[in-house]
Amino acid sequence: MTPQDLHGLVADGRVQARVYTDPAIFALEMERIFCRAWLYVAHDSQLREAGDFLLTRMGPREVIVVRDADGAVQVLRNACAHRGARLCAAPAGNARSFSCPYHGWRFRTDGSLAAVPHQRSYPPGFDLADPALQLRRAPRVATHRGFVFASWAADGPPLDEHLGPMREAIANLVERAPDGEIELAGGTLKQLYRGNWKTHHENANDTVHPTFVHQSSVHSAAAAPDAQDALDGNQARHMMRANNFGTAEWEGIGLHATTGGHSFMGGFYASGLLSPGGGDPVSLAYRAALEAARGKAAAAAILGMDRFNNLIWPNVSLNAQFHQLRVVHPVAVDRTEVHSACFRLKGAPEGVFERAVRFLTTLNSPASLIFSDDIEIFERCQRGLTGPGPEWVDMSRGLGLERPMQDGTVATPGASELPVRAQFAAWLAHMVRP
Ligand code: FES
Ligand SMILES: [Fe+2]
């Protein structure tokens, strides 16, 4: 596709339906976005010791993210440098080296080749130190406050520049820990949906959809009174009821976007355990711990940042307030995997972590009454747009209401498709670059 063809796909306030359904466009996205942009790959807490590793995906490539013997994080293609066999099959663990199951080549945790069986049968110039015989390594790996990102492009903007104002969301999540440290804990939920990856991101900061998409759980939760003996302090009920925004509330939830495709939306839990001013015993004990560590004013500022999802485009959405993370893996033009997990805040009462786990399962488990609705809609969008569907998709809600903010973002009132337009601005910028 020529740059002109690509420009023709995105117009002011609308986008061609093909961008969600055309396998050729998906292939180009993998090459020009997922094999080039900074992608979140791991959190430091998963890679504490030398040899700690995990498998993840960077678009079409499966990678091993590993702390090498010198303490540096390496991101290695999970494909043997001999004949390409998938090297490691364990999802995570600790290893001193990786041995290929095919002909036994063995690689160190920095990707270099350590040993080859029957070396004497190779020709004289065969050298274990030859860079061509090492595992392919992502040329850029960088960590921001414990969040590890990698890029397959040798040059490009540094990570800090890419994150821009989204650094504040990461900072807020880390600073919520009284000890200043967070760790991924409790496992990962994985869901696969039959839809395009971009649909997930568009939905994460869409304030208008909950009233419609989540109607059934909103109504059920509204009809079920708070129970005295609820094991979860009625947390799930409050989460579901909170999705019942009226048009006035849509307007009140601020939406922000920034170059690079990132966006975030304001919080909307006005009451219950999860509201920013929660007065239940766990919230009070937690606030006291944070005040003891940081002082009253700083603790109030940290807890006062009332935001919901923070999308760090193109592959991770953070919820600092509820200590959650969602990583999005495109699998095919109409297949996407979403991996969700939560953090434990060091120095916070255990009840805070229990609440984060409950939040995660209420929202993102396969049995969730909330995310299952979202997935149903992602799949309906895919079905509606596949084949002779509409040619153009509208994203003009709130167009013209953007105003620049001091933090470097652009904001609109909540009833806006600003995040969708921001995604496509970044998308186009990547796609037209050969
Ligand atoms: S493919 Fe790995 S050793 Fe041959
Ligand atoms: Fe939703």
Side-chain angles (χ1 to χ4, degrees), residues 239-254:
M239 285 173 68
M240 290 173 199
R241 284 183 206 149
N243 278 331
N244 189 26
F245 320 158
T247 40
E249 284 130 320
W250 296 346
E251 285 297 276
I253 300 167

Side-chain angles (χ1 to χ4, degrees), residues 203 206 209-210 213-214 243 363 370-371 373-374 378:
N203 187 67
D206 179 331
H209 87 275
V213 171
H214 303 304
N243 278 331
L363 197 57
I370 301 176
F371 199 50
D373 288 333
D374 292 311
F378 302 164

Side-chain angles (χ1 to χ4, degrees), residues 79-87 99-107 117 122:
C80 179
H82 175 218
R83 305 258 301 265
R86 186 183 188 222
L87 194 60
S99 292
C100 182
Y102 199 176
H103 315 94
W105 285 25
R106 190 162 58 78
F107 300 88
Y122 282 89

Side-chain angles (χ1 to χ4, degrees), residues 108-403:
R108 299 183 190 90
T109 49
D110 64 359
S112 60
L113 182 57
V116 167
H118 219 260
Q119 209 184 324
R120 68 175 182 275
S121 56
Y122 282 89
F126 185 86
D127 178 5
L128 293 190
D130 181 351
L133 300 179
Q134 303 191 348
L135 298 178
R136 290 283 152 264
R137 229 183 249 118
R140 291 191 302 160
V141 179
T143 301
H144 182 79
R145 302 200 72 167
F147 290 78
V148 185
F149 290 77
S151 158
W152 283 97
D155 11 70
L159 177 62
D160 272 11
E161 190 183 320
H162 166 73
L163 294 173
M166 302 312 287
R167 284 174 298 184
E168 215 189 342
I170 294 176
N172 186 249
L173 173 50
V174 177
E175 284 163 10
R176 280 173 185 264
D179 293 355
E181 206 187 314
I182 61 175
E183 62 176 2
L184 271 176
T188 302
L189 294 167
K190 298 180 181 177
Q191 300 221 54
L192 176 74
Y193 67 83
R194 296 182 205 85
N196 189 262
W197 62 278
K198 298 185 288 299
T199 313
H200 170 277
H201 294 338
E202 295 167 1
N203 187 67
N205 290 326
D206 179 331
T207 62
V208 173
H209 87 275
T211 315
F212 304 99
V213 171
H214 303 304
Q215 216 173 72
S216 62
S217 60
V218 164
H219 287 172
S220 307
D226 285 353
Q228 278 295 326
D229 57 350
L231 285 172
D232 69 345
N234 297 300
Q235 180 178 324
R237 281 183 183 81
H238 287 176
M239 285 173 68
M240 290 173 199
R241 284 183 206 149
N243 278 331
N244 189 26
F245 320 158
T247 40
E249 284 130 320
W250 296 346
E251 285 297 276
I253 300 167
L255 280 174
H256 296 247
T258 176
T259 48
H262 317 314
S263 59
F264 63 89
M265 69 184 271
F268 55 91
Y269 289 164
S271 61
L273 290 182
L274 300 176
S275 61
D280 60 282
V282 172
S283 300
L284 292 175
Y286 168 48
R287 183 175 285 269
L290 197 61
E291 284 176 355
R294 299 287 157 76
K296 247 184 153 69
I302 292 164
L303 298 177
M305 191 196 271
D306 186 17
R307 283 192 194 175
F308 205 65
N309 291 325
N310 297 274
L311 170 64
I312 301 176
W313 200 79
N315 84 324
V316 63
S317 181
L318 283 185
N319 188 319
Q321 195 172 344
F322 304 112
H323 328 138
Q324 316 277 312
L325 161 136
R326 213 142 76 184
V327 187
V328 173
H329 299 290
V331 177
V333 71
D334 58 354
R335 290 283 188 286
T336 306
E337 262 189 52
V338 182
H339 296 187
S340 322
C342 65
F343 292 92
R344 186 196 297 273
L345 310 183
K346 295 277 188 74
E350 189 60 13
V352 171
F353 180 59
E354 286 168 13
R355 219 165 255 186
V357 171
R358 245 185 249 131
F359 189 100
L360 182 74
T361 50
T362 302
L363 197 57
N364 290 312
S365 82
S368 163
L369 297 180
I370 301 176
F371 199 50
S372 49
D373 288 333
D374 292 311
I375 284 183
E376 167 71 14
I377 286 296
F378 302 164
E379 299 192 352
R380 285 193 190 202
C381 287
Q382 200 66 29
R383 287 175 75 154
L385 294 173
T386 300
E391 192 188 343
W392 287 92
V393 173
D394 184 84
M395 53 173 183
S396 66
R397 196 186 337 122
L399 193 63
L401 300 180
E402 299 86 354
R403 51 187 203 285

